[in-house]
Structure formats: C-alpha cells, structure tokens
Amino acid sequence: MIRLLLGGLSPSGKNGRFSIFIFHRVLSKPDLLFPDEPDTSRFNQILSWIKQWFNVVPLDVGIDKLKAGTLPSRAAAITFDDGYADNYTNALPILKQHGLSATFFIATGFLDGGRMWNDIIIESIRASHSSILDLSHLGLEKPAIGSVDEKKLAITKLITALKYRPGNERVTMANQIAEVAKIPLPTDLMMTSLQLIAMQAAGMKIGAHTVSHPILSQTELTTAKQEIAESKIQLEKLLGNEVSLFAYPNGKKFNDYLPEHADLVRELGFKAAVSTQWGASDTNTDLFNIPRFTPWDKSKIRFGLRLVENLRKTPN
C-alpha cells in the first residue's frame, strides 16, 4: 500500500518528486537521553523500509535528474549533517550492506578531535554525577540533573537558551558549563580526516556545512561568506575533488538562513543547497532551498504514512 501511494505522488519524469532524508548520528546502542536518535539496529530497519519503498539515488544525481525532468518514480536520497564519527563506524557499514549511498555534509572545523558547542553541553550533563548544576553565575538556571529525565530537560533548556547567541559566546558558555560540571570531554565525537577520505573512497558523497556551524542569520554576512567558502576549500583540498553541495546549519529558511545566504552559496560555486524544511522537491523547486525530511516514527505503517504526507507538502 505504501509503495503504491508513494508511486502515485512521486511518478517518474517531469512530474517526479524527490524525497530527501536527514540523519545526524547512528549510535552503537540506544541512548536514554536521546531515544529518537537511531542506533544501528534502528538505522538498519529504516534503511530496509526506504529501500523497499523508494528508488534511492545519490543526492547529486537526483538533483541533476530533477533539473532534467528525468527522476525515477519514488526517487529519494539519504543525507547526514555535521560529520559525527559514528557516521563512519556505524552508518557506513549498514549503508554498504544495503547497497545504498548517502551524502555527508561536514562542518570542517570539528574534524580531527573537535566538538560542537551543543555536544559540550550534552556530554557535560550526561557524565555529571551532581544532582544540581549551578550556572547562576552565567545568567542561567540551576538545573536539576540527578535523573535521566532531569538531564534531558536540562539539556533541552540550555541548548535552547544558547542556540541563537553569537557563535563565540555559545562556545564560551558551553565550555564554562563543562568547567562547572568538572567532566573530561570526549575528543572522538567527530570524524577524522582519514575517515572522511575513506567515506568518499567507499562511494559516499561529501558536501559542505560551514566551518563552525554558525546560525547564518545571526552572523555578519562577510563572516558567513568566509564560513561557507572555507568549508568548501578545506574539503576540496582534503578530498581532491569539487564539493558542489551545501547544507545550511540548522536549516530553517528565514529563521536560520536568509535569501542573501542562498545567494552567497550560489556565488561561491555550489550547484545546490539543502535546508531542513519538510517537503519534497519538484521541477519548480529552487535548487538553493531544497527541502529535506527527518524520519522518526517507530512503526513501519506510521513511518510510511508520514512519508506520504511529506510528499503531499507544497515545496517552498
């Protein structure tokens, strides 16, 4: 049933629709703090459903076919954002097992031992044995973190409080939270350069995602241009080939990036850019505002029906 519904909404040719999935991490085992983040078993299950229902193509190939009006029916692509090490250790073997390719958008400043500011907060609270974290000197609350539920709530509140602050301030405050927690932070959360090279050698596609993952709408335009350009240059130097696809950090149009940022991406030589707005693309879609979908439903039927609903959305 799902396959038939998807086929009716996503035919081949000039009336085709292109569904693009977003993932961030594939964990080795379930995480009580983030129960919706897929582990290897769950990711394997999701890929089996996607493969059953869709014709999966590499993102760049799908974009070319979208422009040409030659998409296969039920066309889809798989993408990952940020560059976590488990993309290499956990996601890659499962993708290869299913014979599927994915595109990995890399924030280059975190390769080889770096950490994103939100992960500093997450890992500080995860490992803390305190019942309360006194952050009042930072102008923040004194969150209770004694239980899993309290840790989840504290992480959500702190990330929300810092998310739209200037980039340097976010990092500084995240590090100050880590100092209060008195927890040694992991240095292996993100991929190494050698792992990224191996990903490409295994047939995966690599795209740019800025250097330090700023919210572009909150960043000076000259700095935004440098972030976008430098990530492209760094990846091309490392990988030895053109990097033509870009993913906007956070990715909500008008909230996290603006039309001038799409113009920058175009001017810097990318051929397309993806957002995190839901929906599926058609031939009228602006190639620098391509929508993507985040899957999360646990049951096969609900997962499938959610994809049907996503295909019904009007592209931006």
Side-chain angles (χ1 to χ4, degrees), residues 240-288:
N241 54 254
E242 182 186 14
V243 172
S244 61
L245 300 177
F246 181 77
Y248 301 102
N250 228 49
K252 293 291 189 295
K253 187 179 179 183
F254 299 120
N255 194 37
D256 302 319
Y257 73 97
L258 304 170
E260 51 261 43
H261 299 112
D263 291 340
L264 280 179
V265 173
R266 185 183 293 107
E267 291 166 10
L268 288 167
F270 292 94
K271 77 174 186 180
V274 294
S275 71
T276 58
Q277 298 292 132
W278 286 11
S281 301
D282 62 17
T283 54
N284 296 314
T285 299
D286 177 358
L287 293 184
F288 291 86

Side-chain angles (χ1 to χ4, degrees), residues 118-189:
N118 53 301
D119 286 316
I120 295 174
I121 293 173
I122 291 166
E123 299 308 320
S124 296
I125 292 177
R126 179 196 302 280
S128 177
H129 298 295
S130 300
S131 58
I132 293 177
L133 205 61
D134 187 353
L135 305 175
S136 56
H137 65 293
L138 301 178
L140 300 169
E141 298 179 358
K142 298 181 182 179
I145 56 170
S147 69
V148 169
D149 286 343
E150 288 173 339
K151 286 178 185 285
K152 287 166 65 174
L153 182 59
I155 288 168
T156 298
K157 285 186 173 181
L158 288 171
I159 288 177
T160 300
L162 270 60
K163 192 169 198 173
Y164 288 98
R165 298 196 185 198
N168 289 337
E169 183 180 341
R170 288 191 312 188
V171 174
T172 297
M173 292 190 71
N175 282 321
Q176 289 172 331
I177 291 169
E179 289 173 8
V180 174
K182 295 182 174 64
I183 296 299
L185 294 169
T187 58
D188 60 352
L189 287 175

